[in-house]
Amino acid sequence: MTDDTKSQDTPTDVPTWGPMRSFGRIKARTLKPRQASLFDSLLPQIVLDEARVARIVADPRAEHAEASEVWLEIGFGGGEHMAAQAGRHPHALIMGGEPFLNGVGSALRHIDEAGLTNVRLLAGDVRPLIDQLPNGFIERIFIMFPDPWPKARHHKRRFIQAETIAAFARVLKDGGRVRFATDWADYADWTLERFLANPDFIWPAEGQAAWNIPPADHVTTRYEEKKLGDCAPVFFDFVRKPR
């Protein structure tokens, strides 16, 4: 982490989120016994409650001794991508938010099986968590295959909106990155249009391969392999401009 005091400023102008529901079901099938037990044993040790978030904000190394960066995954699904990234990057303290309880249960299993110590979880809407973070605090944000809400009347429920992009710009460090992936063509167009409209981000893509070929550090998940969308996966990496 840097010692730049500007990057650690307490946010003074955070958005007031409306009642947007960018997620659908909270729970589907009954949790498997092992996952249910991890809600009682593992989750309390890594849950992103207000006290733990405050501790991370004060000094991420107090929460994870190796932490030199803090990453955020929004809507981690079953947790496969998040857990794999955590295993590959022990220097990163990864915070993940997911409102779907079955997904949280799956993530807990991945964390437990891999013995990961650098993942912290929020079982709920990630936007209040973002509001707690200081300016210029996050190195990377992942939004991997979010709910596309394909019907036009539901587009207001999409997580990518002008206000969420503005929140990303606030919490990201200069040069920090947002990776967005989708297999819905309309959501890809929607996202690209809104990020390019924000003056705090650049899209350094050069040629079609920059978004049609998975990045070298991408982790393929079971959801991605199901090919439920209407196009091949699209990957965007947006970079936070220097302040």
Side-chain angles (χ1 to χ4, degrees):
M1 306 299 295
T2 69
D3 293 326
D4 181 2
T5 56
K6 180 179 179 181
S7 69
Q8 300 299 315
D9 289 344
T10 300
T12 58
D13 185 21
V14 297
T16 301
W17 301 116
M20 180 187 79
R21 281 183 59 109
S22 61
F23 43 88
R25 302 170 301 167
I26 301 300
K27 183 179 177 183
R29 62 186 182 279
T30 301
L31 291 170
K32 296 178 180 179
R34 182 183 176 193
Q35 293 181 4
S37 69
L38 289 172
F39 268 87
D40 296 327
S41 59
L42 178 57
L43 184 59
Q45 301 176 39
I46 63 173
V47 68
L48 282 167
D49 55 20
E50 288 191 12
R52 178 165 281 116
V53 174
R55 186 161 60 246
I56 292 171
V57 166
D59 183 2
R61 291 165 296 189
E63 186 69 21
H64 177 62
E66 297 180 57
S68 59
E69 298 181 0
V70 180
W71 298 3
L72 173 65
E73 181 155 345
I74 297 170
F76 54 72
E80 300 155 89
H81 176 273
M82 179 177 59
Q85 294 288 1
R88 293 177 181 181
H89 303 282
H91 71 286
L93 177 62
I94 301 182
M95 302 188 295
E98 171 60 57
F100 189 48
L101 296 185
N102 297 86
V104 176
S106 176
L108 289 169
R109 178 177 60 82
H110 286 298
I111 293 166
D112 184 56
E113 289 179 351
L116 300 172
T117 60
N118 58 329
V119 181
R120 302 293 180 268
L121 299 185
L122 171 68
D125 185 354
V126 76
R127 295 175 300 162
L129 167 62
I130 293 174
D131 288 350
Q132 289 184 262
L133 301 178
N135 300 341
F137 186 71
I138 298 291
E139 194 77 33
R140 301 190 69 178
I141 295 174
F142 296 94
I143 308 166
M144 310 302 294
F145 300 95
D147 194 323
W149 294 105
K151 295 180 180 179
R153 68 177 183 272
H154 292 155
H155 284 181
K156 63 185 177 182
R157 295 188 177 187
R158 287 177 168 175
F159 193 84
I160 299 299
Q161 306 286 344
E163 60 267 30
T164 49
I165 295 172
F168 299 158
R170 183 185 67 79
V171 300
L172 276 172
K173 292 185 175 185
D174 292 354
R177 291 177 288 163
V178 178
R179 175 168 297 164
F180 175 89
T182 185
D183 52 4
W184 287 85
D186 178 68
Y187 205 1
D189 293 340
W190 167 284
T191 298
L192 187 59
E193 177 183 355
R194 281 155 181 77
F195 266 95
L196 293 181
N198 187 301
D200 292 326
F201 284 99
I202 60 173
W203 182 43
E206 296 182 2
Q208 191 171 357
W211 62 88
N212 281 345
I213 296 177
D217 63 345
H218 174 60
V219 178
T220 302
T221 65
R222 287 180 298 171
Y223 172 84
E224 184 181 344
E225 291 174 341
K226 291 178 181 179
K227 300 180 179 180
L228 299 177
D230 62 1
C231 69
V234 174
F235 303 88
F236 296 141
D237 275 355
F238 302 102
V239 179
R240 192 3 169 139
K241 289 182 180 178
R243 289 167 173 80

